[in-house]
Amino acid sequence: MTSKTSIKMAFTASALALAASGAVAESWDMPMAYSASNYHSEMGVVFADKVRDYTGGDIDITVHPGGSLFKGGEIKRAVQTGQAPIGERFMSAHANEAPLLGWDNLPFIATTYADNEKLWHAAKDRVNSQLGELNLVALYTCPWPGQGFYFNKEVSSSADTQGVKFRSYNTATATFAEELGMIPVQVEAAELSQALATGVAEAFISSGSTGYDRKVWENLSHYYKVNAWLPRNYVIVNKQVWEDLSPETQAQVQKAADETGAACAAKSEELANWYFEQLSDNGMTVADAGSEFLAELQEIGTKMTAEWLAAAGDDGQAILDAYNAK
């Protein structure tokens, strides 16, 4: 029996026992997709410590980073179905299932931390309603730095990107790849280094954080600052598990979540330029995207926003209207 299977069975048995007794779960396993040294995972540990403190030990969260308990693509479903009570996932990874969850991947709409926070406040209520329908409750979200392009060559326009194998992490990045004549390949962050080393992927869009964490300078040569969007991770809890908590415990956990979310966003902003320095120090060319390439990206972005509005419907339009009104 594998350790993952044992943990799943233990949690299932524990959940059944707790459901029968009406007691509050004492031990929660929290799968996270990114490496232990990534600031999202580090903040997950901060959150767990705060929850343990504020609940007086009634809830003890064990963080499992790097896809060690569930792979990134498995985490949302694991929390939805009760295989894990809580977890962290990249929100827009599920925009194909629920288009509204792609609110943070609208190119060139909110390209600063302040504007990204405004966009989140405009989206928050509708996003939480959508998550409720998926049997999930969001406790906190945290942005990544702005997204830019990694290549293993100089790129001035889409003429240089034809046929390149491009790692995608959601529908938005796959669309960018296709519009630029590239071939999208879905690869989780934990598997990115191997994909680049073996040629499964030759380029990708992400923040400086991912490039630093995965040491992509071992395979790639150029990073182009585009700041297309600031995507968010979200820490989610199973809706039944959440509703079984007493109002007092919910308030304690939410306090921990609010504090951690704010600290995580501040950490992201603090690290954004530092990541660029690390890429450069390790031999990569770090530069702003050229005018021709940027113009092409902005044209694609306008098309992608229109497509998102068509898929997300009235709720999507309401989010953008609320954002633009602030």
Side-chain angles (χ1 to χ4, degrees), residues 7 30 40 48 57 72 86 126 154 166 203 206 216 241 295 300 304:
I7 291 171
M30 179 174 168
H40 282 281
I86 190 171
R126 287 176 172 82
E154 183 176 352
F166 187 86
S206 192
V216 301
V241 170
I300 294 169
M304 288 170 61

Side-chain angles (χ1 to χ4, degrees), residues 37-118:
S37 61
N38 182 271
Y39 71 93
H40 282 281
S41 299
E42 291 176 344
M43 285 296 170
V45 174
V46 169
F47 170 66
D49 289 343
K50 285 179 177 289
V51 168
R52 193 176 302 109
D53 181 24
Y54 294 164
T55 65
D58 286 346
I59 298 179
D60 184 14
I61 298 175
T62 301
V63 174
H64 300 271
S68 57
L69 182 58
F70 292 95
K71 293 182 179 179
E74 300 171 344
I75 291 174
K76 180 186 75 72
R77 179 163 179 78
V79 178
Q80 264 184 303
T81 58
Q83 295 176 74
I86 190 171
E88 182 194 53
R89 182 58 173 147
F90 194 71
M91 184 174 289
S92 59
H94 308 293
N96 58 337
E97 176 185 355
L100 197 71
L101 299 184
W103 67 272
D104 60 339
N105 273 202
L106 303 179
F108 308 108
I109 298 294
T111 59
T112 68
Y113 280 90
D115 284 348
N116 179 262
E117 187 66 19
K118 283 171 52 181

Side-chain angles (χ1 to χ4, degrees), residues 260-271:
T260 306
C264 190
K267 188 68 174 179
S268 176
E269 187 167 10
E270 175 190 330
L271 288 171

Side-chain angles (χ1 to χ4, degrees), residues 168-232:
S168 65
Y169 56 70
N170 59 15
T171 53
T173 52
T175 298
F176 250 128
E178 291 164 352
E179 291 286 339
L180 290 168
M182 296 189 284
I183 303 167
V185 181
Q186 187 167 348
V187 177
E188 289 290 336
E191 301 162 353
L192 180 56
S193 298
Q194 182 179 4
L196 294 172
T198 58
V200 170
E202 301 169 306
F204 66 102
I205 183 172
S206 192
S207 67
S209 173
T210 302
Y212 172 74
D213 285 347
R214 310 320 305 180
K215 298 181 179 180
V216 301
W217 51 79
E218 295 176 353
N219 299 286
L220 303 180
S221 59
H222 287 71
Y223 180 83
Y224 290 101
K225 299 179 185 179
V226 174
N227 213 34
W229 60 78
L230 282 70
R232 289 198 174 219

